[in-house]
Amino acid sequence: MADDLNERANQAHPKAERSPSLARVQAVPWLIAIMLFALAAWLGWRAFIYKEEGDPVASAMLAFEKQNSLTVFSSRFEVVAESVDRRGVLNIDLLESRQASVIPATVEYRLDLSSMDSDRLTWDEDSETLGVVLPALKISRPNLDEGAAKTFTEGTYVSRDASADLARNNSQQAERKAAAFAKNPQVLAMAREAAKEAVRQNLAIPLQVAGYGDVTVDVRFDGEAAPE
């Protein structure tokens, strides 16, 4: 009798078997997806957004990459050209004419920033100074404003052909003189100073935005002595 009661009790209360939680099983794929998404986001940030701190050279190079050429100085001046034309018969000069022209000219000075690389930049962490070495300035071909030229012609009779030759000779002469004047040491010195100031301004602001504070930007050209 007692055995029957025990058997019935065991049948009434079966032993509970442990099974995995349904919520836990469903959460596993979501956790994996979240981890993969976080990893992808970190890799993207690292590849395209992240910049190593303490690397102002990279920030400066990024500023240079945004513009291949920079016009830093423009000089407008007047050049004087004078030509003489002689025409005659049987090698005898019967007609002589003279023409003088005052022609405005403009020359631009540009920096070729496409040749800039990290070798031209140095960073002194102690003094917080960025050193920049620039390539030589490029001088544009003189632009002659012949529409605003002042012309003075002398001669008893100036034919159409003679007038055309005088004007053409004066234009060629004016271009040569303007190109020579553009290389004048004083004008070239002003253009270089303008270039240095332009580079300082173009680099100072990006460096401040990048969090480097008030950085000193020391600019010089190839061949100039480095500051002591």
Side-chain angles (χ1 to χ4, degrees), residues 8 10 27 63 178 194 216:
R8 291 177 183 177
N10 291 335
T216 300

Side-chain angles (χ1 to χ4, degrees), residues 35 56 58 73 92 142 172 181 220:
M35 292 176 63
F73 191 72
I92 300 175
Q172 295 173 353
F181 180 81
R220 59 188 176 90

Side-chain angles (χ1 to χ4, degrees), residues 1 18 24 40 58 64 80 94 102 136 139 141 146 162 170 180 194 200 219 228:
M1 188 72 164
R18 293 185 179 181
R24 183 181 304 173
F64 281 132
V80 179
L94 300 177
V102 181
I139 306 175
R141 181 177 178 178
E146 299 192 55
N170 279 351
R200 290 190 192 100
V219 186
E228 297 181 359

Side-chain angles (χ1 to χ4, degrees), residues 59-60 62-63 66 200-212:
S59 299
L62 184 61
K66 293 181 180 179
R200 290 190 192 100
Q201 293 179 1
N202 283 339
L203 292 183
I205 295 178
L207 290 174
Q208 289 179 358
V209 172
Y212 298 110

Side-chain angles (χ1 to χ4, degrees), residues 83-87 95-98 159 161-162 165-166 169:
S83 300
V84 177
D85 182 84
R86 296 181 179 89
R87 296 174 185 268
L95 298 175
E96 180 178 298
S97 56
R98 184 186 306 270
S159 66
D161 291 341
D165 288 345
L166 288 170
N169 291 337

